[in-house]
Amino acid sequence: MKGSAIFSGFRALGLYSNHLAHVLRFHKKHREFYVLTAVGQCFHTYNVSKVSTVRYILVRLNKNYRIKDIFTVYVICSVNLTTDTYLQISYDKASFEVSALMHPSTYLNKILFGSSQGSLQLWNIKSNKLLFTFPGWASAVTVLQQTPAVDVVGVGLASGQIIIHNIRCNETLMKFQQDWGPVTALSFRTDGHPIMASGSPIGHIGLWDLEEKKLVSQMRDAHTTAIAGLTFLQNEPLLITNGADNAIRVWIFDVAGGDGRLLRHRTGHSAPPTKIKHNDQSGLNILSAGQDGTLQSFSTVHERFNKSLGHGTLNKTRAKKKGVTHDTAKLPAITTFASETARQSDWDGIIACHRGFLVTTTWSYQKGSIGAHKLEPERFNKNRSLNVHATAVDITSCGNFAVIALSSGHIDVYNMQSGFHRGHYGKDKAHAGPVRGVSVDALNQLTVSVGADRLLKIWRFKSKELLHTHSLPAAPASSLLHRDSGMLAIALDDFTIQILDMETRRAVRRFSGHRGQINDMTFSPDGRWLITASMDCAIRTWDLPSGSLVDCFLVDAAAVSLSMSPTGNFLASSHVDGLGIYLWSNNTLCSMVSLRPLSADYEPTVIMLPGTYADSSEMLEYISPAQLDEHLVTLSLLPDSRWKNLLHLDIIKKKNKPKEPPKLPKAAPFFIPTIPGLVPQFALPTTPSEDQSKVVNLGVLAQKSTFYLQLENALDNNSLKLLRELGPSAIETELRALSPDMGGEVRVMQSFLKMISSILQSKRDFDLAQAYLALFLKLHLRFIADQPELMEEAESVSAHLEETWMSMQTLLNQNICLLSYIKSALL
C-alpha cells in the first residue's frame, strides 16, 4: 500500500503570501484587477475588489527548482513546456550577481538588471546583446520599479537610498534616504498624486512627495515582517501590500494628510499554529492558536467566513489604543485551549492557556475577540515569581464551567458566565506534580485528570470527591476524552498510548509504534479510530475495536496538532514551521476502503502536504475509461438525434417533404464533391477511359458498402464503429440493404444479429444496440420469421437482452426501495 488508505490530501487553509512580491494584473474582459501571490510551490490568485481566492495554480516544476521570483518561474515553465531554452545569460557572481530585474516601459525586448555589486545592465534579450552598463551608487540594488514617466525608473538600494534615474540620459533626477534599512519595494501613484511608496524590512511603509522631494507620511507596522511587495492600482487611490507575515492588505488613501487606511485584507498566522480544534458540530470552522499570539478561525467552506479573534492581552482597552505591537500587557502564545458552543451566544465559550503564564483567558467566538474574564487562582496572590502556569483546560458540555489544571498540581473549577471560582479538586493538590491533562464527561458527573506523578485520578465533578486512582506505566504527556463513548486516550512519555474505559475504569487498549514524542491525538466522531501524530513525522490511525494499527503515513514536517471533523469528512493538521492548516479528506466516506491491520515491519511512505507541492504524478489529467466496470451497463454518449428517432424516420421524412422541387441557381458556385455522411470526406475524381461503354453497368448499382463487407467478414467491432459515424438516414439505408430483396444475404443478416449479441454481452453502447435492433426488426420482421437460422439467432439475442434487463431492473428496484425508505422513515 502506498501512502494512506484512509486519508488523501485535499487543500490548505490560511496560506496567503510568503516573502516574494506579488504581481498585479488587470483583466480586460472582467474589468477587474487580480493579484497573484506565491505560496509554497503554487500560486494563489485573488480579485482585488473582495480579496477572495479566484484560483489555485499548482506549478509543475522540476524538483531541483524552487520559486524564487514570479518572473523567473514563468521562464522555467515555458522551458519545461517546450524543452528548449529561449535565452541564457551567464554572469560571473563575483562581478555581477543579479539581485533585481525589470522591463522598462516602451523598451521593446529590453530588460534592466540590477546587481548585488551596485551596477546595472540594460540587455536586448532578442539579440542577446549588452546595450549599456550603469555604474550604480556603491550599494547593492534591491528593487527596480518603473515610474509613471517613460525612461525613468526607481532604484532601491541596500543602503536605504532611493534613486529616481533616467536610463535614457543616464541622469539621476532625485534621491531619498530611508532610515529603516534596505528598500524592499517601491510603487508610484498614478491617480494624479505625485506620491511614491517604499517598503522596509521592519514592516513600515514610507510615503514620499516627488514634487516637494520629502517624506510626507509613514504607515508604521503595516506588516509584522518585511514588506515583500507594494503596488498602487492604476488610476485608483488603492495600495496593495504583501509580506512574509502571511498577509495581503489593501489600503485606501481617502483621508486628509495622505495616510492610508486598511480597506480589506486576508491574514493568516504569521507564526506556526500550536493548537487547532473544530469549533462546532458542523465541522465548518476550525479554531487555530498560533505562536504569533493570535487566535483565529478558518472556514472550510470559503475564506470570507474566516475571522481573527485577535491577540491575547491583559488590558483590552489599552491594547486598542496602543496597538498590539506596543501593548506591554499582551500575553504570550496560546499553548492549548478548549471550546464549547452550547452557550457561546450568552457568554464566552473558549478558554485558553498561555505559554508560561498562570492566567487563563476566555474568548468570545460570537464577538470575535478576547472575552471578559482573566482567570487566576487567589492562592498565589498574583506572585509571578512562583513559576506556576496553566497546563490543561476543559469546558463542560453545558458550557457553564471551566476546569483548569496547573503545573503546581492544582485543578480549579470556574464559572464561565461570572468568572467566579467554584472549587478545586483534592484537599491541597490534585496531583503531586504538574497536571498534564484534564477532562469532564458528557453528563458533568466525572472529572478525570492525569499528572506527572504517573497517576490517573477520577473525581466526582460536583462534590470534588476522589473516586478512583489508576497507576500509569510512564509519565503522561497529554490526555483526550471521547465523551460519547467514554474512552480516554493517554499519551505517555515512552511514546505509547493507553486507552482507558471510563465506565469500567480499566485500561482496555495499549498502542505502541511511535518513535518520538506524541504531539496530539484526535478521535473519529464515532470513537472507532484514534489518530495520533508524533515527532517522528508519522500520522497513525488506530482501530479501537480490533486494537490494531490500520493506517500510517509520513509527512515532511511533523504534525503538532490534529483535529477530526465532527462530521468525519476531514482531518485537519498543523505542522512544524508551517503557517497553514492542512485538510485531509476521509476516503472511507466516498469509497470502499479495506482496513486491515498493518504488519509490524510496515514501512510508511511520505505524502506531500496538500496545496504546497504539485508532483508530476499527482498532476496527471484523469482520463475516464470507456467502461468503468465490465458488469456495468454503459451508454454510447452519442447525441440523441443519432439514434433516438430511427423508428420514426418515415414520419420525419413525410413532415420534411418539400412542397416544391428545389430551384437551381442560374450560376452555381464551384464545390468539391463530397461523400454523404457525418464525417466530411472529399470524393476522388474519376478519370473516364477511352473505351468506356455508355451502357449502364447494373453491377455498380448493387455495389456492396463498407458496412456490408465488414459484416460479411464477421468484424463486429469495426461494423459498429462504421454505424456510429453514420446519420439516421444512412443507418436505415444500410440495414435495408441487408435483405436479399435489396441485394443482401441471409448470412449477412445473421452476422448483424451476432453483432447485436456481442454488444449486449459487452454491456457497452447499450442504447445503440437497442435502437439498431429495433429498426432491424421493423424492417425485416416477416422475413426473419420465415428463416430458421435467423429465428435461432434472434432467440439468442432475446435471451441476452432479457438477462441484461433483469439485472438492471433488480438494481433499479433496490435503489427505488432505498429512496422510498429514506423519504418515509423517521430517522
Side-chain angles (χ1 to χ4, degrees):
M1 181 180 65
K2 184 179 179 181
S4 170
I6 299 178
F7 301 108
S8 57
F10 178 59
R11 60 175 295 203
L13 303 177
L15 293 177
Y16 300 106
S17 172
N18 61 8
H19 64 285
L20 299 180
H22 62 263
V23 170
L24 187 71
R25 289 293 179 265
F26 181 73
H27 198 291
K28 292 183 178 179
K29 184 178 180 181
H30 297 168
R31 306 296 299 171
E32 192 170 12
F33 284 98
Y34 291 93
V35 61
L36 189 77
T37 61
V39 177
Q41 291 298 105
C42 63
F43 295 136
H44 292 189
T45 306
Y46 303 88
N47 56 358
V48 176
S49 59
K50 298 179 182 178
V51 198
S52 60
T53 306
V54 177
R55 183 175 301 155
Y56 294 98
I57 306 173
L58 294 175
V59 185
R60 191 186 305 177
L61 296 177
N62 186 301
K63 290 185 178 180
N64 296 324
Y65 292 127
R66 291 292 180 268
I67 295 180
K68 294 183 179 179
D69 185 89
I70 293 181
F71 176 85
T72 309
V73 173
Y74 286 142
V75 176
I76 291 172
C77 288
S78 64
V79 169
N80 277 356
L81 290 173
T82 62
T83 68
D84 292 324
T85 302
Y86 173 73
L87 174 66
Q88 182 174 350
I89 303 175
S90 299
Y91 288 101
D92 181 9
K93 288 188 177 182
S95 58
F96 194 93
E97 182 181 8
V98 178
S99 58
L101 74 165
M102 65 163 287
H103 165 60
S105 180
T106 73
Y107 280 55
L108 187 63
N109 299 321
K110 310 296 191 304
I111 296 292
L112 180 65
F113 294 94
S115 69
S116 300
Q117 288 76 17
S119 60
L120 291 83
Q121 292 184 359
L122 183 65
W123 282 75
N124 186 318
I125 59 173
K126 187 173 183 180
S127 61
N128 196 14
K129 289 184 178 179
L130 174 62
L131 303 180
F132 194 79
T133 299
F134 301 90
W137 296 270
S139 180
V141 177
T142 56
V143 182
L144 290 173
Q145 181 64 41
Q146 178 70 51
T147 69
V150 179
D151 302 325
V152 181
V153 299
V155 183
L157 303 179
S159 63
Q161 263 195 330
I162 304 170
I163 310 295
I164 307 300
H165 193 75
N166 188 314
I167 58 175
R168 186 179 185 86
C169 304
N170 191 19
E171 178 185 358
T172 298
L173 304 180
M174 58 188 78
K175 293 182 180 181
F176 301 95
Q177 179 63 48
Q178 179 176 271
D179 296 332
W180 303 317
V183 180
T184 60
L186 288 175
S187 186
F188 298 85
R189 287 184 70 170
T190 56
D191 61 339
H193 297 268
I195 298 297
M196 175 185 67
S198 64
S200 67
I202 57 177
H204 300 336
I205 297 174
L207 300 174
W208 310 81
D209 192 314
L210 298 178
E211 288 184 352
E212 299 183 6
K213 300 181 181 180
K214 67 177 183 179
L215 180 68
V216 293
S217 183
Q218 301 177 18
M219 297 168 58
R220 289 183 172 268
D221 303 315
H223 288 265
T224 58
T225 60
I227 305 294
L230 285 170
T231 308
F232 279 106
L233 266 64
Q234 187 73 21
N235 299 324
E236 292 188 33
L238 296 177
L239 174 66
I240 299 176
T241 64
N242 78 295
D245 57 351
N246 195 22
I248 304 171
R249 293 185 169 95
V250 180
W251 311 81
I252 185 169
F253 293 82
D254 59 352
V255 296
D259 287 338
R261 65 177 179 88
L262 186 62
L263 180 64
R264 290 181 287 268
H265 65 95
R266 282 283 177 262
T267 308
H269 284 298
S270 59
T274 55
K275 176 70 176 177
I276 61 174
K277 184 181 184 296
H278 282 84
N279 184 47
D280 50 29
Q281 292 303 309
S282 68
L284 301 181
N285 299 295
I286 300 174
L287 286 171
S288 173
Q291 293 181 18
D292 55 2
T294 62
L295 182 63
Q296 301 194 37
S297 173
F298 296 98
S299 171
T300 59
V301 178
H302 196 280
E303 56 199 9
R304 69 172 176 268
F305 301 121
N306 293 357
K307 65 166 71 173
S308 175
L309 281 71
H311 200 289
T313 179
L314 292 175
N315 193 321
K316 188 175 179 180
T317 306
R318 189 190 307 167
K320 279 187 176 181
K321 291 181 179 179
K322 292 188 174 182
V324 174
T325 307
H326 306 287
D327 181 18
T328 56
K330 68 178 179 181
L331 293 168
I334 295 173
T335 55
T336 186
F337 63 88
S339 67
E340 182 56 55
T341 59
R343 303 299 296 271
Q344 70 173 6
S345 59
D346 300 321
W347 52 76
D348 300 341
I350 304 170
I351 186 165
C353 301
H354 297 265
R355 181 179 292 119
F357 226 74
L358 176 62
V359 176
T360 54
T361 54
T362 62
W363 300 72
S364 173
Y365 186 83
Q366 295 282 353
K367 297 178 181 178
S369 65
I370 192 168
H373 305 302
K374 312 294 182 293
L375 306 179
E376 182 178 6
E378 296 180 354
R379 67 174 67 90
F380 300 109
N381 296 321
K382 297 186 178 182
N383 187 352
R384 301 286 188 265
S385 62
L386 295 177
N387 197 24
V388 178
H389 60 274
T391 56
V393 289
D394 196 17
I395 299 179
T396 58
S397 57
C398 62
N400 288 310
F401 299 99
V403 182
I404 302 172
L406 306 178
S407 60
S408 60
H410 297 89
I411 301 177
D412 296 289
V413 180
Y414 292 86
N415 184 280
M416 287 293 292
Q417 181 182 9
S418 63
F420 292 162
H421 188 264
R422 296 303 185 192
H424 64 274
Y425 292 94
K427 292 182 180 180
D428 181 24
K429 295 181 179 181
H431 289 269
V435 183
R436 301 287 174 80
V438 63
S439 303
V440 182
D441 69 352
L443 300 177
N444 292 4
Q445 298 295 311
L446 301 174
T447 301
V448 58
S449 61
V450 294
D453 54 3
R454 298 192 178 189
L455 293 179
L456 179 149
K457 295 184 178 182
I458 300 177
W459 313 80
R460 196 173 298 280
F461 174 77
K462 188 174 182 180
S463 65
K464 314 295 186 296
E465 175 190 355
L466 179 62
L467 299 178
H468 179 74
T469 301
H470 178 82
S471 297
L472 299 172
S478 62
S479 66
L480 177 68
L481 176 66
H482 187 263
R483 284 176 172 170
D484 292 343
S485 64
M487 293 294 169
L488 179 73
I490 309 159
L492 304 177
D493 284 344
D494 61 358
F495 312 148
T496 63
I497 303 157
Q498 279 208 353
I499 307 297
L500 183 119
D501 188 346
M502 289 287 289
E503 187 171 347
T504 62
R505 301 174 186 176
R506 296 178 58 187
V508 294
R509 291 288 185 270
R510 181 180 181 274
F511 299 125
S512 61
H514 279 296
R515 300 173 184 174
Q517 171 190 324
I518 298 172
N519 294 330
D520 202 7
M521 305 178 288
T522 183
F523 280 100
S524 61
D526 57 1
R528 184 181 181 90
W529 297 339
L530 176 68
I531 305 158
T532 59
S534 70
M535 291 303 294
D536 59 4
C537 295
I539 297 178
R540 299 173 183 259
T541 303
W542 312 87
D543 186 69
L544 268 63
S546 63
S548 58
L549 176 68
V550 293
D551 190 66
C552 178
F553 63 95
L554 300 176
V555 287
D556 282 339
V560 296
S561 187
L562 297 174
S563 180
M564 191 72 176
S565 168
T567 58
N569 52 355
F570 292 115
L571 171 70
S573 64
S574 62
H575 298 261
V576 172
D577 296 333
L579 301 182
I581 298 173
Y582 302 92
L583 296 183
W584 309 81
S585 56
N586 185 356
N587 298 330
T588 62
L589 297 183
C590 52
S591 61
M592 292 295 296
V593 178
S594 177
L595 296 179
R596 299 178 180 177
L598 300 181
S599 59
D601 58 348
Y602 175 77
E603 290 294 333
T605 56
V606 177
I607 299 181
M608 294 293 182
L609 295 178
T612 58
Y613 187 86
D615 188 66
S616 59
S617 62
E618 297 174 1
M619 289 295 293
L620 293 178
E621 182 180 358
Y622 174 75
I623 301 176
S624 178
Q627 190 175 23
L628 297 178
D629 189 271
E630 59 182 9
H631 301 294
L632 298 177
V633 171
T634 306
L635 304 181
S636 64
L637 300 182
L638 286 180
D640 292 353
S641 59
R642 301 274 290 274
W643 57 269
K644 201 170 186 178
N645 297 318
L646 286 176
L647 292 178
H648 311 293
L649 285 178
D650 50 350
I651 301 174
I652 295 173
K653 288 179 180 178
K654 185 179 287 187
K655 286 183 177 180
N656 295 338
K657 186 177 180 180
K659 296 179 180 179
E660 296 180 2
K663 295 180 181 179
L664 294 174
K666 293 181 179 179
F670 171 74
F671 291 104
I672 301 176
T674 58
I675 300 174
L678 295 177
V679 181
Q681 292 182 354
F682 294 113
L684 297 175
T686 56
T687 55
S689 59
E690 295 179 358
D691 55 347
Q692 184 177 1
S693 173
K694 296 182 180 180
V695 179
V696 175
N697 185 358
L698 297 176
V700 176
L701 298 177
Q703 187 175 6
K704 298 176 181 178
S705 67
T706 307
F707 173 69
Y708 190 96
L709 294 174
Q710 296 286 359
L711 285 179
E712 272 191 330
N713 298 327
L715 299 175
D716 298 341
N717 291 336
N718 293 334
S719 304
L720 179 62
K721 289 179 181 178
L722 289 172
L723 282 183
R724 287 173 63 100
E725 296 175 356
L726 298 179
S729 299
I731 293 173
E732 185 192 31
T733 303
E734 291 285 0
L735 296 189
R736 282 187 184 277
L738 299 181
S739 172
D741 297 340
M742 301 295 292
E745 301 178 29
V746 174
R747 178 174 59 87
V748 178
M749 296 178 69
Q750 189 176 4
S751 180
F752 177 81
L753 291 173
K754 288 182 179 179
M755 181 191 77
I756 298 297
S757 293
S758 176
I759 297 174
L760 293 174
Q761 286 178 343
S762 67
K763 297 186 177 181
R764 297 172 64 173
D765 299 313
F766 193 71
D767 48 353
L768 297 186
Q770 301 282 338
Y772 297 159
L773 179 60
L775 179 60
F776 182 78
L777 294 176
K778 177 183 177 180
L779 296 175
H780 309 297
L781 184 61
R782 291 187 178 182
F783 182 78
I784 293 173
D786 297 334
Q787 302 294 326
E789 58 269 32
L790 291 181
M791 280 298 296
E792 182 181 352
E793 196 63 45
E795 289 175 357
S796 175
V797 172
S798 177
H800 289 308
L801 195 60
E802 186 175 359
E803 180 185 353
T804 306
W805 268 116
M806 285 296 293
S807 63
M808 287 187 64
Q809 191 67 38
T810 302
L811 292 174
L812 289 172
N813 288 339
Q814 289 177 355
N815 289 327
I816 291 172
C817 180
L818 180 61
L819 289 173
S820 300
Y821 171 74
I822 292 174
K823 290 169 68 176
S824 60
L826 296 175
L827 298 178

